[in-house]
Amino acid sequence: MEATLNVLSTGDLGISTSTDGVWDKVCLAYPLLTSNELPEECPDDDNVLKEINELKLNTFVEDIVICRIEQIMRQKITPEFWGRFSGRKTEIDGFERFKGAVDYLYSSLASFLSTVEKLEKLRFISRFNRVIYGEDTLLGAFKVIMTSTLLSQLPLTHQVITEDFYKVSFKVFCNTDKSEADQDESTEDVVQCGGCSHEIEHCRCQTILSVFHETNRKLIELDLLERLAGEVITSLIHIRIENHVQESCKGSFDTSYISSLESWLSTVVLGWLTHVYSGNAASTQSSIKKFHQKISHFLYETYTRTRIEQLFNIIIEYPDSQPAVEDLRICLQKTDLRLYLTQKLQRALETRLLHPGVNTPDVLTAYVAAIRALRQLDPTGVLLETVTQPVRQYLRWRDDTVRCVVSSLTEEGPSELADELVRGEALQLDEGTPLDEDMANWETWNPDPVDADPSKTSKSRRTSDIISMLVNVYGSKELFVNEYRTLLADRLLSQFSYNTEKEIRYLELLKLRFGESQLHYCEVMLKDVYDSKRINAHLHSDPNFNLDRQQFPSMAMILSAQFWPPFKEETLELPSFVKEHLQIYTKAFETLKGNRTLSWKPHLGSVNIDIELKDRKINLTVSPTHATIIWHFQTKNQWTVEELSQLMHVPATVLRRKIAFWQSQGMLREVSTDSFLLVEESATRSRCPVAPDMVCEDEETESAMASAHDQREEELQVFWSYIVGMLTNLDLMPLDRIHQMLKMFASQGPTAVECSLQELRHFLDRKVREHKLLFSGGFYRLPKS
Amino acid sequence: MCTTSIFKYLPGWTGVATWRWVANDDNCGICRMAFDGCCPDCKLPGDDCPLVWGQCSHCFHIHCIMKWLNSQQVQHLCPMCRQEWKFKE
Ligand SMILES: [Zn+2]
Ligand SMILES: [Zn+2]
Ligand SMILES: [Zn+2]
């Protein structure tokens, strides 16, 4: 900027002697040329300007005066100004320093004004004009010189006291604003002013505000506000917004905050900004408007981020958190944080949900809540699909997922899933080819969001059916139905109630979902229970069968084995008199049904017994194993586990668990390891403390059925012989070919087994790992033996 | 010697049993389905889809053998042993 003038140096200007007089006059007109102090007022006399014009020295004089202004600015004012920015002690000290610096700058610059005016006058007289530093007025050029000189010497720490200044005043401003709003509530014992931190009597808020006002006015006049303080103001506002958002919506999800945040922004923050820009000038208005847009976007972004951080908890609390979800939905449209949300939520799900410490029902509950919340957040379903992908994958790995889903589907009492089931929609499964979208509504069609999976139809995503989503975790109805069957079997065989109305009702609901044919087996199971009741009644009412004259009434649950899930193979040698009774029952059944007979499962059943000891009588309903154990204590009051195990054909581990029940009842006592004594008198019992909670918990939930996993393994083994046969003949086969062949051969006949391509691949891969198969180039083959 | 009577009285014993046909095979020779299940046309086993025996001692789902016999125009033969089919009394 000094390119044209740097040959000159004041005080030693090489001006010829003939113009000596003129030089003195020039110095008189522009006193700053000879003074080292801040410039004085220029004299009012304009004659010298005419003389300068006549001598055609006007550009020369203008040049040297500007040069001198630049020099003073550079060497004196700017260092002095920035000098006040260092060595700040406290926030309030910083406030004062900033004010002082601005005051100094303002007054020193004001002293140049008459010089600048004088130069304008010279231009006017000489009818001369030119552009300096892109400005065609000298005042404009002066401002450029000032600003650029100031900024060229900007110290590193200049923001500290600028921040002090605005922080202090912002605090005061917010406080006065607040106290205006809720004056009535302000308590009397407050001694410290919330604004200036002085004692109330010595409150300096008013002073601070007027200083603030005045300083800003000066900065605006100097065109320095944006340059000097813009960044600080923005960051202050950002911090303020962040704090405010954090404070207002910390942990409460049941209220919408958007409108209250917006009104806070436009009253408090914009109010302060208006204060900063003091005044209503048109330029101020537009600056504030621009500012408003920027900070309102920032507000949305901050709020969105906060909600995204809390999203996991919001989901868990759904539907109570509906207002928060709705806020987030609106915010997502105004910001660009969808991807951020996906990543954040996925991470939160992984760290808080998808690990062994969380039990499956809780994972499922969270998943259901996520389905609901995310559907509200994004009705297209895309977000749900992407975000919960890891959850589905994880649930697939958990052994008890299906069981948990099925049991909560048919749970008593309020359960989300049970409610869903009652809604009774048909199952929406992923399987099958994508159908065309509904063409009737093409006018309201909207494209899917960009993060949508193009291989799926948007219709499939839009379905709101939670049970379908859960079933789709496995992608197979069969697995669900099988699990339900096992569950139903357990329930029927543990309750021994012939009253199946409730189960029939559930079955009807499930049939609406899963289809008639899938649940046919369960229908037969329920019919078995119903038929058993009738057969029992019939056999007992007919005297020919001799059942009534027996020592005790024996009843039976008669099952159609083909339709029930496989039973765990267990043995139990019943007391002989019980066996005799069951034999009589079998005879009666054979007589009734002709050509049909019964095979008893001795370990299953329910026994109602009265126990009479010396001092007490107990009535209990227990399992046959329990009953048999205690029955043996009738003939001998002390047994070892080993002895009982041989007598009853029951493994020692099982026996110990069953004996624990009798211990908990105070009937048996362990006198030495694995040796148990009948407690005949409660006097003895009191000496040996009873542990009533000793009933093993798994006793209650123990299943009589082989687990679904075990069953499936067994079924898949059927395939293995087919596969070995195929590969022996054909040598090499790719996966889909094997699948086709299996479909042709293995799925016929009485043991028809379905197997998806996916499942087959897993199965074959496992065989590869076990070195029973080789896999290369997409082909499976048998290893050379 | 134990003096206590534990099973003073046994109010009831409910056992669990599975029923099955007393036949010399597991599966029906016609439909290949288990006897204890039902024929392909039936949904419910047992009373609703009973077995019948021929004098040749072969047995089938009643629905299966009836279908078979109806499809035979000339002679009624047992599909297993080709002897003349006569229902066992
Ligand atoms: Zn048949
Ligand atoms: Zn039939
Ligand atoms: Zn025959």
Side-chain angles (χ1 to χ4, degrees):
Chain A
M1 57 188 263
E2 299 175 44
T4 55
L5 298 167
N6 55 7
V7 288
L8 297 168
S9 92
T10 45
D12 183 28
L13 290 162
I15 311 265
S16 66
T17 42
S18 62
T19 53
D20 262 359
V22 179
W23 175 243
D24 287 339
K25 283 179 197 164
V26 170
C27 290
L28 214 60
Y30 297 101
L32 88 167
L33 287 173
T34 50
S35 155
N36 275 327
E37 291 309 304
L38 287 177
E40 303 152 23
E41 282 288 300
C42 299
D44 231 2
D45 179 18
D46 289 345
N47 288 329
V48 66
L49 300 183
K50 288 175 188 153
E51 218 171 308
I52 289 168
N53 185 39
E54 276 155 25
L55 286 167
K56 300 217 178 336
L57 284 173
N58 52 338
T59 48
F60 172 74
V61 169
E62 197 179 284
D63 282 347
I64 59 169
V65 171
I66 287 176
C67 186
R68 178 68 180 150
I69 292 175
E70 285 180 347
Q71 195 186 21
I72 297 172
M73 283 292 303
R74 193 169 58 242
Q75 291 176 351
K76 187 170 170 61
I77 298 175
T78 304
E80 172 80 35
F81 175 75
W82 289 126
R84 291 168 193 243
F85 275 64
S86 59
R88 155 264 198 214
K89 289 180 200 77
T90 59
E91 203 171 72
I92 198 77
D93 178 45
F95 178 86
E96 296 293 348
R97 278 166 177 274
F98 187 81
K99 171 200 183 281
V102 173
D103 282 352
Y104 163 76
L105 186 67
Y106 187 77
S107 64
S108 36
L109 293 180
S111 63
F112 285 99
L113 285 179
S114 85
T115 311
V116 175
E117 252 167 55
K118 203 84 177 169
L119 284 176
E120 286 285 7
K121 240 176 217 167
L122 180 61
R123 280 189 173 193
F124 178 73
I125 289 166
S126 57
R127 295 164 197 280
F128 165 80
N129 210 355
R130 62 170 170 170
V131 175
I132 299 174
Y133 302 134
E135 297 284 334
D136 45 7
T137 67
L138 283 159
L139 192 65
F142 173 68
K143 277 186 176 169
V144 172
I145 291 166
M146 168 201 65
T147 321
S148 52
T149 318
L150 278 180
L151 296 182
S152 72
Q153 296 183 27
L154 202 63
L156 277 174
T157 54
H158 77 281
Q159 283 196 333
V160 178
I161 78 160
T162 320
E163 240 172 64
D164 288 343
F165 183 79
Y166 287 94
K167 224 188 262 169
V168 166
S169 56
F170 197 17
K171 211 156 110 193
V172 170
F173 181 82
C174 290
N175 190 56
T176 50
D177 187 78
K178 210 188 289 167
S179 52
E180 270 164 29
D182 42 35
Q183 221 153 24
D184 304 334
E185 291 166 37
S186 61
T187 43
E188 282 163 31
D189 50 292
V190 176
V191 269
Q192 222 184 24
C193 171
C196 59
S197 311
H198 282 81
E199 281 168 35
I200 293 274
E201 297 107 272
H202 305 115
C203 173
R204 295 189 59 237
C205 286
Q206 268 331 104
T207 335
I208 287 174
L209 279 184
S210 66
V211 165
F212 179 65
H213 206 272
E214 185 61 19
T215 309
N216 281 317
R217 192 189 57 76
K218 288 176 178 171
L219 285 172
I220 290 169
E221 207 173 304
L222 296 171
D223 266 351
L224 277 175
L225 183 68
E226 296 268 320
R227 306 259 177 132
L228 215 56
E231 218 175 291
V232 171
I233 293 173
T234 313
S235 80
L236 256 175
I237 289 178
H238 283 184
I239 290 168
R240 186 74 203 173
I241 288 176
E242 272 162 5
N243 289 342
H244 185 79
V245 167
Q246 288 285 341
E247 270 165 37
S248 14
C249 56
K250 193 193 320 165
S252 99
F253 309 140
D254 51 359
T255 330
S256 165
Y257 283 100
I258 288 185
S259 60
S260 74
L261 285 176
E262 266 184 344
S263 83
W264 171 80
L265 191 75
S266 57
T267 53
V268 179
V269 180
L270 279 190
W272 184 67
L273 268 178
T274 318
H275 230 72
V276 171
Y277 285 95
S278 54
N280 288 311
S283 65
T284 315
Q285 288 295 343
S286 81
S287 315
I288 290 180
K289 209 171 152 195
K290 241 196 295 182
F291 230 116
H292 189 190
Q293 278 172 354
K294 268 194 270 177
I295 58 175
S296 135
H297 183 258
F298 184 82
L299 176 76
Y300 273 104
E301 208 171 85
T302 312
Y303 183 54
T304 315
R305 279 178 196 276
T306 312
R307 283 301 190 218
I308 289 174
E309 293 285 344
Q310 303 162 330
L311 191 50
F312 183 81
N313 289 338
I314 293 179
I315 285 174
I316 296 298
E317 283 181 30
Y318 200 83
D320 292 344
S321 59
Q322 235 161 347
V325 175
E326 189 56 20
D327 272 8
L328 191 53
R329 189 183 70 79
I330 294 168
C331 285
L332 275 183
Q333 292 166 352
K334 298 187 182 239
T335 54
D336 186 27
L337 292 169
R338 233 181 124 94
L339 186 65
Y340 177 74
L341 182 145
T342 313
Q343 291 166 345
K344 268 274 164 188
L345 182 57
Q346 268 188 356
R347 207 162 312 136
L349 287 169
E350 267 157 33
T351 52
R352 298 188 54 185
L353 201 62
L354 309 184
H355 57 82
V358 186
N359 56 33
T360 309
D362 291 343
V363 180
L364 280 172
T365 311
Y367 181 51
V368 170
I371 292 175
R372 299 200 155 158
L374 293 176
R375 283 233 185 268
Q376 190 193 341
L377 199 55
D378 172 25
T380 65
V382 174
L383 211 54
L384 171 65
E385 189 181 279
T386 351
V387 172
T388 56
Q389 170 62 23
V391 183
R392 284 193 295 277
Q393 211 158 24
Y394 179 79
L395 281 172
R396 233 169 274 154
W397 278 99
R398 282 229 166 165
D399 287 344
D400 56 343
T401 301
V402 185
R403 177 158 282 235
C404 287
V405 172
V406 172
S407 74
S408 62
L409 271 178
T410 50
E411 212 163 65
E412 287 235 45
S415 140
E416 299 239 355
L417 289 179
D419 292 348
E420 282 291 318
L421 184 64
V422 175
R423 277 175 54 199
E425 282 171 40
L427 211 57
Q428 306 263 357
L429 288 178
D430 283 346
E431 55 206 8
T433 48
L435 293 162
D436 282 335
E437 302 270 330
D438 194 356
M439 291 304 284
N441 297 323
W442 61 271
E443 278 174 304
T444 54
W445 179 84
N446 264 312
D448 283 329
V450 283
D451 45 350
D453 177 355
S455 67
K456 295 198 178 152
T457 59
S458 54
K459 199 175 180 181
S460 76
R461 270 192 295 269
R462 273 170 233 258
T463 57
S464 62
D465 182 44
I466 286 172
I467 294 177
S468 305
M469 298 251 344
L470 285 172
V471 173
N472 278 335
V473 163
Y474 280 82
S476 146
K477 278 200 274 195
E478 284 73 17
L479 212 59
F480 262 74
V481 170
N482 277 342
E483 198 59 49
Y484 169 68
R485 189 156 69 113
T486 308
L487 209 71
L488 179 66
D490 273 339
R491 249 196 316 243
L492 293 175
L493 292 187
S494 64
Q495 290 165 359
F496 282 96
S497 136
Y498 292 101
N499 205 343
T500 51
E501 269 168 53
K502 204 185 72 204
E503 298 295 351
I504 289 171
R505 208 174 63 236
Y506 281 130
L507 185 62
E508 289 305 317
L509 289 171
L510 286 169
K511 267 154 73 178
L512 288 176
R513 290 272 176 178
F514 293 90
E516 196 98 15
S517 61
Q518 299 279 341
L519 289 157
H520 171 60
Y521 281 28
C522 300
E523 256 184 305
V524 174
M525 285 161 64
L526 287 174
K527 186 172 181 293
D528 280 345
V529 176
Y530 176 76
D531 286 349
S532 302
K533 186 180 167 185
R534 273 180 36 220
I535 292 169
N536 279 326
H538 188 87
L539 296 183
H540 279 276
S541 67
D542 192 334
N544 291 332
F545 295 124
N546 278 333
L547 282 180
D548 269 6
R549 265 162 288 152
Q550 298 304 318
Q551 201 180 342
F552 61 87
S554 47
M555 251 103 53
M557 194 72 103
I558 301 162
L559 317 178
S560 305
Q562 299 280 323
F563 297 79
W564 286 68
F567 294 93
K568 274 185 200 159
E569 286 309 320
E570 273 180 47
T571 51
L572 171 65
E573 188 65 21
L574 293 169
S576 51
F577 77 102
V578 176
K579 283 204 287 195
E580 279 161 25
H581 274 72
L582 298 184
Q583 201 47 48
I584 293 168
Y585 194 98
T586 309
K587 281 266 144 35
F589 178 84
E590 283 169 354
T591 316
L592 180 69
K593 290 293 184 184
N595 288 324
R596 269 186 275 174
T597 188
L598 296 178
S599 319
W600 294 93
K601 306 244 168 239
H603 64 287
L604 294 177
S606 148
V607 185
N608 191 284
I609 44 175
D610 276 335
I611 297 169
E612 207 175 304
L613 293 164
K614 276 183 183 155
D615 57 345
R616 60 214 142 107
K617 263 183 170 169
I618 311 169
N619 178 275
L620 282 171
T621 300
V622 295
S623 77
T625 315
H626 285 124
T628 309
I629 291 171
I630 209 70
W631 180 76
H632 283 298
F633 277 89
Q634 207 171 211
T635 50
K636 196 177 105 174
N637 65 357
Q638 187 167 347
W639 290 86
T640 66
V641 170
E642 183 55 32
E643 287 167 341
L644 283 176
S645 174
Q646 273 182 7
L647 215 59
M648 291 170 61
H649 302 180
V650 174
T653 47
V654 178
L655 270 180
R656 280 191 203 101
R657 227 167 47 227
K658 307 278 178 187
I659 287 172
F661 168 78
W662 289 120
Q663 282 179 283
S664 79
Q665 293 292 320
M667 298 280 298
L668 296 183
R669 185 159 62 89
E670 189 164 17
V671 281
S672 61
T673 308
D674 275 354
S675 182
F676 292 88
L677 179 74
L678 182 70
V679 182
E680 295 187 59
E681 275 175 285
S682 44
T684 336
R685 195 170 55 147
S686 63
R687 257 183 274 131
C688 141
V690 190
D693 52 345
M694 256 173 83
V695 189
C696 302
E697 244 179 59
D698 63 11
E699 191 67 40
E700 310 293 329
T701 52
E702 205 182 331
S703 169
M705 305 300 145
S707 82
H709 187 69
D710 298 343
Q711 286 173 45
R712 189 65 190 156
E713 279 300 285
E714 218 168 280
E715 285 173 358
L716 287 172
Q717 281 309 318
V718 177
F719 286 152
W720 181 236
S721 53
Y722 282 99
I723 295 167
V724 171
M726 281 190 266
L727 290 174
T728 315
N729 288 322
L730 296 168
D731 223 18
L732 287 175
M733 282 176 91
L735 178 69
D736 49 349
R737 186 80 200 289
I738 298 179
H739 189 234
Q740 276 170 8
M741 299 276 276
L742 282 178
K743 260 169 131 179
M744 260 159 43
F745 300 125
S747 53
Q748 290 170 358
T751 50
V753 181
E754 285 289 325
C755 177
S756 73
L757 197 67
Q758 181 88 349
E759 200 177 3
L760 180 65
R761 183 170 43 226
H762 282 305
F763 180 70
L764 292 181
D765 287 350
R766 207 179 63 229
K767 290 292 177 191
V768 171
R769 278 200 299 281
E770 291 166 1
H771 305 291
K772 290 184 179 146
L773 267 187
L774 294 176
F775 181 71
S776 67
F779 290 90
Y780 290 92
R781 63 186 164 86
L782 292 171
K784 299 242 159 59
S785 49
Chain B
M1 184 50 208
C2 175
T3 54
T4 311
S5 142
I6 297 177
F7 279 27
K8 177 75 178 171
Y9 176 63
L10 192 58
W13 188 293
T14 307
V16 174
T18 54
W19 65 265
R20 63 186 160 78
W21 289 102
V22 185
N24 45 17
D25 201 352
D26 286 342
N27 299 326
C28 167
I30 299 175
C31 69
R32 307 303 307 158
M33 297 301 227
F35 280 142
D36 302 337
C38 45
C39 79
D41 296 335
C42 282
K43 295 222 156 216
L44 304 172
D47 292 343
D48 292 290
C49 188
L51 303 194
V52 280
W53 278 259
Q55 283 181 357
C56 61
S57 89
H58 285 119
C59 73
F60 305 97
H61 289 118
I62 188 168
H63 303 124
C64 294
I65 190 69
M66 291 313 286
K67 242 199 314 206
W68 165 260
L69 297 176
N70 285 336
S71 70
Q72 304 294 301
Q73 270 123 24
V74 204
Q75 262 184 313
H76 286 176
L77 300 179
C78 168
M80 301 296 276
C81 62
R82 298 281 154 185
Q83 295 180 46
E84 193 189 353
W85 177 268
K86 277 188 183 138
F87 285 102
K88 198 169 163 186
E89 291 305 308

